[in-house]
Amino acid sequence: MLRPAKAATRTSEAEFHAAPGAVEQVRYGCALGALLSVIAIPNAVPITHCGPGCAQKQFHALSGISGYQGGEFHVPSTNIGNREVIFGGADRLDELIDATLKVMEADLFVVQTGCIPGLVGDDVENVVARWRRRGAPLVFAETTGYRGNNFTGHEIIAKAIVDQFVGPSTAPKRARRVNVWSALPYQNPFWRGDLGELKRLLEGIGLEVAILFGPASDGVAEWKRIPEAAFNLVVSPWLGLGIARHLERSYDQPFLHLPRLPIGARATRAFLAQVAAFAGIEARVVEDFAAREEREHWLYLRDFSAFYSGCTSQYRLPSQVIVAGESAYALAVAGFMVEQLGLSPGAIVLTENPPESARDGIRAAFRNLAEGVDAEVVFAQDGPTVHRLIRDHDRHGEYPIVFGSTWEAGLAREIGAPLVEIGYPATDEVVLSRSHVGWRGALTLVEHVYTTVVRASTLG
Amino acid sequence: MAINLRTVEAETREQRLGTITQWDGSASQLAADSVATHGCGHARPGGRRLCETASPFSQASMCAEHIAVTNATIIRDSVVIQHSPIGCAASQSFTARYARDLAERRGWKPEDPHSVCSNLGEQDMVFGGVDRLAAAIREAFERHAPRVIFVATSCATGIIGDDVDGTARALEDELGIPVVTLHCEGFKSKHWSNGWDVIEHGILRKLVDRAPAKTDPDLLNVIHLGGPDVFTPLVAPLGLRVNLVMGGNTLERLAELSSAAATVTMCFVLSYLATGLEQEYGVPEIRAPLPYGLDATDAWLRDIARVTGREDRVEAVIAAERARIAPELATLREKLKGKKGFVAAGAAFAHGLIADLRELGVEVDGTFSFHHDPMTDSRDPRQDSLGHLIDTTGDVPNFTVSPDQHFQAHAALKRANPDFIVTRHTGAMASLAARMGIPVLPIFYSNDGLAYDGLLTIGRAILRTLPKKRFYADVAAHSSFPYSPAWLAETNPYAAPPERVRAEEPAC
């Protein structure tokens, strides 16, 4: 029987340090913010043991106002007050869990802690263990706010669910089944559509896909079947690698790491070819699928080339791509704009404070975006620092376009560049199912980018 | 009990006013119990000791830090330091969005406000975070050249005991600008509205001109939650100028608070500042019931005129305003006949919205108040807004006090079954109602329902809202809530969590 490698409630494989210095224009949540990752699993509910505003703030910031992704907020919380700070909050949590199991219905509850229990020393693990012994579908993930951000919190909750809920498995592996670890739900406003399209692409080459988060997922039942996958697929520069390594140890599942979320024909073909090779799928299957997908794709791009070549437009079409955002989407979008549309890479500032150990790998992923074209990346979290790095980067003779967040509005105006919001916080975009992944997503991105460019020219 | 400005921390609402956050029953019982328990207001029959209800189940709510920081952030030429781990600063994005929207509505230059998180990590929890705080304050000063810096505490810094006041005082001397501490640890109070008291405490202590040269007889302080200025058209005919405070201000406006002829609030939840101004600077606080509905608005204007000495002009203003809105009001009443509304808002503001709806001829038999303050800081019975509502418009049979708890709101809405809801603090309530198929009128800018024009504003907004039933009904048909069948059927918000029928489980 295959068992989870070790109890992992506490540590993220990727070490986290609060970035030195104050942060203005915050671009991620705290570890407790990974409650959004729980909400992203259909039929899972977080139970939060934290102060009265913590969970709501994370939800409202990451979901409510970023892309107006919405969703229902009914997260149980102890709303810790004076009494629990002074006398300890374990009893109150116990009472809340009891009441939650009576009032709410879910297949899985993830108990998450915030800063206060970490500081006052509540023995939450023990409280949760008592309920688990009684058969309640409960796991504990320590997501102390001062110990991490919502990226590291995401890995913590995933490992907690694997270890404490999925557990040992005797199920045989299914040769074509894959677990996918990619976008960080809600942090990336396009995660729902992107994961859905990623699933469709992988199914297109004959895989059985556990996408694990979002509307395209079967939810908790899909998580239960994690051990049945033949392999794990990590589609992100670093996020999810810790989970994949943990699953490798737990269930003897190999993993394939492809840093770049594919946008556009070249990247998508390359992506599917690598997945197929790893999964033992014939190259011909990828070729057939790609040919079907690309027939319409190139017809649309062929017509767009009239606009792009200036036949129907007098606009200053961008020539240099500037990005301020998390590494995954920065890589995906910059890759597409450089490789497929022929832009040059400009300043690329990565803002999610990735672990030090992941940074060389991230830098490497930005090399050879197109044949012989490297992008140099820098890491910064603080808004004015991010903007200084962009301002100081050479853009002589270029028409820049900025892919970033709401925080880049002023900067984009200052350097005369249109702004496309691609990351948290995105308060000027309403996002439902929009996706940028694959062939179809590339067309959506082109539409969005060049509508923005035209409006910037005509509406000032 | 007087407001104590000598201490750095505002005393909590629970201590000062006996604020509760959980209760269910009739509004008349709540009003009677409040008077019987706290002795403020006119005695009412049947008053008992006010007992707060409790529920073992609770859902995530808001904290005082959120309110205090938001309202400090939108003060012009300020920088707010959130002395906290990174998560508390998640509010920066929506505060910035709010500030830009507010600027647009008030005709200011739209720009991002400045807020900085000291970004505390585990090491700081062990060794203390005051060095990071000092560095953050210096950095903020160099970057933005602010005229005031606010330092907001967090749960974490409250527990580890960082000396934020000592640091603030030292930096104040070093930089030569006010550094105002906001003690707003979320765990210290059970209700977010304490955040208003915290920021108002800071303004009273540090930003109001302590020795105004003279009183300006034409200046009326108006304390509001934020939004467009609906007050100037109302009081300008009386020869008064409005000093609109909270909801984004220049420091000059805050300084001149102490030289105004009087202060009025649009919601008694904000009256800490008004009472403080009267206590410390002798600026009289207008205590007439709030201007929701025609008669209350008349009385409110008369009281403003009385206190500022312009009774000769007020009757003409009232007559003109009433005549101006009468035709449309009649039309609105006709169109809204037979409709049932439901109000979800905070305390006095909820009472005001109910009065508006009833003035428009809308039936209201259920309400969700996010907290209940049995009295105000002035202890003046005229500020018993719930009692006033009952006396002038009748009882509300199902009056629920709940800090925006989604599961309780579900039960309350099921019980009320309204044609639409009006809600502020749109966190849980708005999306819940939508998914139950109930049209939602969200009140973001809370001056919408105020005075004569407020009746028209709210009436028109309801008429815009009702047709959206077509969307919400379809959404409801395709939505479910993760509650047990027993709770989904529940109509008592404070019913005990339903016992599950399940096999006997071994005790541990």
Side-chain angles (χ1 to χ4, degrees):
Chain A
M1 189 187 290
L2 297 167
R3 294 175 180 284
K6 61 172 172 134
T9 53
R10 185 172 183 132
T11 49
S12 169
E13 188 129 337
E15 79 285 12
F16 175 87
H17 301 290
V23 175
E24 196 170 334
Q25 300 182 327
V26 169
R27 291 156 194 270
Y28 47 77
C30 65
L32 181 75
L35 69 93
L36 274 299
S37 295
V38 178
I39 290 172
I41 303 171
N43 301 322
V45 168
I47 296 177
T48 57
H49 185 37
C50 58
C54 306
Q56 211 254 17
K57 243 186 198 184
Q58 295 301 308
F59 181 83
H60 193 52
L62 288 161
S63 169
I65 197 120
S66 190
Y68 306 94
Q69 299 172 65
E72 197 81 11
F73 188 64
H74 30 51
V75 168
S77 178
T78 46
N79 295 330
I80 292 173
N82 267 318
R83 194 179 50 190
E84 290 80 20
V85 168
I86 296 166
F87 300 108
D91 290 348
R92 172 70 191 111
L93 175 63
D94 191 60
E95 179 186 55
L96 177 68
I97 292 172
D98 180 49
T100 301
L101 294 172
K102 288 169 179 167
V103 173
M104 296 197 88
E105 291 224 313
D107 296 334
L108 170 65
F109 295 95
V110 179
V111 177
Q112 290 187 240
T113 46
C115 294
I116 300 175
L119 291 171
V120 305
D122 285 344
D123 186 0
V124 174
E125 190 148 17
N126 210 10
V127 172
V128 175
R130 282 203 302 272
W131 285 100
R132 287 164 47 74
R133 281 200 293 277
R134 283 181 248 175
L138 221 63
V139 306
F140 167 46
E142 191 177 290
T143 47
T144 313
Y146 53 81
R147 280 212 190 105
N149 65 10
N150 52 330
F151 289 76
T152 58
H154 174 79
E155 295 209 341
I156 291 169
I157 70 115
K159 287 184 213 169
I161 295 170
V162 166
D163 294 345
Q164 301 168 51
F165 179 74
V166 179
S169 171
T170 52
K173 296 241 188 333
R174 297 169 62 85
R176 289 279 185 265
R177 190 171 174 90
V178 58
N179 304 316
V180 178
W181 307 94
S182 183
L184 180 57
Y186 293 94
Q187 168 82 24
N188 169 352
F190 307 101
W191 68 281
R192 292 176 293 182
D194 282 350
L195 290 183
E197 184 63 7
L198 202 52
K199 179 175 172 170
R200 194 186 71 84
L201 293 175
L202 292 166
E203 285 175 347
I205 61 165
L207 288 166
E208 185 181 297
V209 181
I211 202 74
L212 301 167
F213 299 96
S217 161
D218 282 340
V220 174
E222 202 170 69
W223 281 70
K224 260 292 188 203
R225 296 184 61 194
I226 280 176
E228 293 177 38
F231 69 105
N232 288 287
L233 174 62
V234 178
V235 190
S236 140
W238 68 275
L239 185 74
L241 270 180
I243 304 167
R245 291 197 187 102
H246 187 66
L247 291 170
E248 184 177 48
R249 288 193 297 268
S250 299
Y251 304 123
D252 199 21
Q253 274 171 335
F255 67 89
L256 173 64
H257 178 208
L258 298 175
R260 184 163 155 190
L261 186 68
I263 302 178
R266 283 170 185 263
T268 308
R269 272 178 177 266
F271 169 79
L272 291 177
Q274 284 169 287
V275 174
F278 190 83
I281 295 168
E282 286 178 56
R284 184 186 49 78
V285 175
V286 174
E287 184 49 47
D288 288 351
F289 178 61
R292 282 201 306 279
E293 291 282 315
E294 286 188 9
R295 199 184 62 81
E296 287 187 29
H297 179 79
W298 286 114
L299 286 177
Y300 282 114
L301 284 182
R302 188 197 67 187
D303 292 351
F304 169 73
S305 70
F307 166 91
Y308 205 61
S309 61
C311 157
T312 53
S313 75
Q314 63 280 44
Y315 312 113
R316 297 201 318 185
L317 299 188
S319 63
Q320 186 193 51
V321 52
I322 293 173
V323 190
E326 51 154 316
S327 57
Y329 235 58
L331 177 60
V333 170
F336 173 71
M337 298 302 288
V338 170
E339 179 182 42
Q340 247 3 125
L341 294 183
L343 278 72
S344 300
I348 300 206
V349 189
L350 306 180
T351 55
E352 83 269 34
N353 188 24
E356 283 298 332
S357 58
R359 295 191 178 194
D360 281 344
I362 296 170
R363 287 187 190 96
F366 279 87
R367 292 197 194 105
N368 228 26
L369 284 182
E371 192 65 41
V373 182
D374 295 343
E376 292 299 326
V377 301
V378 282
F379 298 93
Q381 301 82 45
D382 167 61
T385 308
V386 171
H387 297 162
R388 180 175 50 74
L389 290 164
I390 292 174
R391 220 176 267 125
D392 292 351
H393 192 281
D394 181 35
R395 49 179 193 283
H396 182 73
E398 301 279 8
Y399 293 151
I401 180 168
V402 176
F403 292 89
S405 71
T406 301
W407 299 130
E408 275 63 69
L411 170 94
R413 253 196 313 279
E414 180 191 323
I415 64 172
L419 168 67
V420 178
E421 291 187 353
I422 56 163
Y424 171 81
T427 65
D428 294 330
E429 284 288 335
V430 177
V431 183
L432 282 77
S433 64
R434 209 185 319 159
S435 162
H436 300 133
V437 164
W439 291 282
R440 293 179 182 178
L443 299 187
T444 305
L445 183 61
V446 168
E447 282 174 351
H448 190 46
V449 166
Y450 290 94
T451 300
T452 306
V453 168
V454 169
R455 290 199 173 163
S457 301
T458 57
L459 304 176
Chain B
M1 193 187 311
I3 287 171
N4 183 359
L5 294 180
R6 282 181 297 282
T7 60
V8 291
E9 296 192 37
E11 203 181 358
T12 65
R13 224 157 241 264
E14 296 95 302
Q15 291 166 317
R16 294 185 347 260
L17 312 176
T19 295
I20 61 167
T21 60
Q22 304 192 74
W23 199 85
D24 191 67
S26 68
S28 56
Q29 187 67 53
L30 181 58
D33 290 359
S34 298
V35 174
T37 308
H38 295 280
C40 292
H42 305 293
R44 295 171 177 278
R48 304 178 298 231
R49 188 179 141 72
L50 179 61
C51 285
E52 187 161 22
T53 316
S55 168
F57 185 60
S58 58
Q59 290 162 313
S61 184
M62 258 170 75
C63 66
E65 192 253 14
H66 187 152
I67 300 281
V69 165
T70 300
N71 288 287
T73 306
I74 57 179
I75 290 174
R76 319 290 285 174
D77 302 315
S78 74
V79 175
V80 178
I81 314 278
Q82 285 175 283
H83 187 40
S84 66
I86 199 76
C88 300
S91 55
Q92 281 184 4
S93 59
F94 40 93
T95 304
R97 193 77 197 72
Y98 171 44
R100 289 202 301 271
D101 193 70
L102 194 61
E104 169 78 27
R105 284 164 197 260
R106 297 286 298 275
W108 303 327
K109 188 178 162 210
E111 54 192 2
D112 284 333
H114 301 304
S115 46
V116 177
C117 177
S118 62
N119 188 23
L120 302 175
E122 182 147 33
Q123 288 224 321
D124 306 305
M125 295 302 120
V126 178
F127 299 109
V130 289
D131 291 344
R132 277 219 197 210
L133 174 60
I137 294 174
R138 287 194 188 96
E139 175 95 26
F141 184 76
E142 277 170 33
R143 274 185 181 175
H144 303 299
R147 294 170 59 204
V148 59
I149 290 176
F150 293 96
V151 177
T153 59
S154 59
C155 291
T157 58
I159 292 172
I160 65 174
D162 269 359
D163 178 16
V164 289
D165 291 297
T167 307
R169 269 193 302 276
L171 270 292
E172 196 166 61
D173 292 342
E174 181 184 319
L175 304 177
I177 59 165
V179 179
V180 184
T181 55
L182 304 172
H183 289 269
C184 49
E185 296 90 331
F187 68 83
K188 281 200 176 158
S189 153
K190 60 190 171 191
H191 201 262
W192 64 73
S193 53
N194 266 286
W196 290 107
D197 305 342
V198 171
I199 178 70
E200 292 182 352
H201 189 78
I203 289 169
L204 278 168
R205 269 172 56 84
K206 305 282 280 191
L207 301 179
V208 169
D209 186 351
R210 281 159 185 265
K214 58 179 175 55
T215 298
D216 182 339
D218 296 331
L219 190 65
L220 178 69
N221 295 325
V222 178
I223 301 169
H224 73 148
L225 290 151
D229 177 12
V230 303
F231 302 94
T232 294
L234 205 57
V235 299
L238 295 175
L240 289 167
R241 284 177 295 110
V242 165
N243 183 28
L244 195 59
V245 290
M246 305 306 295
N249 289 111
T250 60
L251 294 174
E252 286 73 17
R253 286 250 152 146
L254 296 175
E256 69 186 5
L257 278 168
S258 53
S259 58
T263 305
V264 68
T265 58
M266 55 64 65
C267 174
F268 292 136
V269 176
L270 303 181
S271 62
Y272 188 91
L273 182 53
T275 307
L277 286 168
E278 178 168 311
Q279 176 188 305
E280 299 292 315
Y281 303 101
V283 179
E285 176 186 9
I286 307 283
R287 291 168 180 183
L290 297 168
Y292 294 94
L294 293 173
D295 291 347
T297 304
D298 295 349
W300 185 75
L301 276 179
R302 285 190 186 112
D303 209 35
I304 291 172
R306 181 183 62 76
V307 173
T308 59
R310 347 186 149 225
E311 283 159 300
D312 55 328
R313 274 171 280 180
V314 72
E315 293 307 325
V317 172
I318 289 170
E321 285 291 295
R322 277 192 172 240
R324 183 175 62 80
I325 69 156
E328 188 173 353
L329 184 59
T331 312
L332 289 169
R333 281 175 174 156
E334 187 56 37
K335 288 182 175 167
L336 291 168
K337 195 179 282 175
K339 297 293 179 204
K340 183 160 138 181
F342 182 94
V343 170
F349 188 60
H351 312 152
L353 288 174
I354 297 166
D356 268 359
L357 293 189
R358 286 178 167 174
E359 186 77 84
L360 286 163
V362 171
E363 180 195 352
V364 182
D365 65 359
T367 291
F368 209 66
S369 179
F370 298 138
H371 56 115
H372 176 69
D373 306 326
M375 58 175 171
T376 56
D377 282 299
S378 73
R379 304 178 70 89
D380 190 318
R382 283 175 297 168
Q383 292 188 327
D384 174 10
S385 54
L386 185 61
H388 178 77
L389 173 78
I390 295 161
D391 292 345
T392 53
T393 74
D395 200 1
V396 182
N398 294 313
F399 195 95
T400 306
V401 181
S402 162
D404 205 17
Q405 295 288 295
H406 186 277
F407 76 113
Q408 293 177 328
H410 184 275
L413 284 177
K414 218 174 145 57
R415 179 168 67 185
N417 191 26
D419 294 306
F420 67 94
I421 73 159
V422 186
T423 181
R424 200 176 131 76
H425 285 290
T426 48
M429 200 53 164
S431 58
L432 167 70
R435 278 179 52 175
M436 291 176 78
I438 304 166
V440 183
L441 169 56
I443 305 277
F444 190 81
Y445 289 114
S446 49
N447 300 335
D448 288 358
L450 213 84
Y452 306 104
D453 266 325
L455 292 168
L456 306 186
T457 304
I458 293 286
R460 292 173 196 149
I462 296 168
L463 291 177
R464 287 195 303 269
T465 299
L466 290 172
K468 291 178 179 163
K469 173 93 181 168
R470 296 194 282 273
F471 173 65
Y472 296 126
D474 283 352
V475 168
H478 297 92
S479 294
S480 60
F481 297 104
Y483 293 125
S484 65
W487 190 263
L488 285 173
E490 187 57 64
T491 56
N492 171 8
Y494 282 96
E499 289 301 326
R500 294 261 180 182
V501 184
R502 59 166 73 139
E504 196 58 38
E505 290 156 350
C508 66

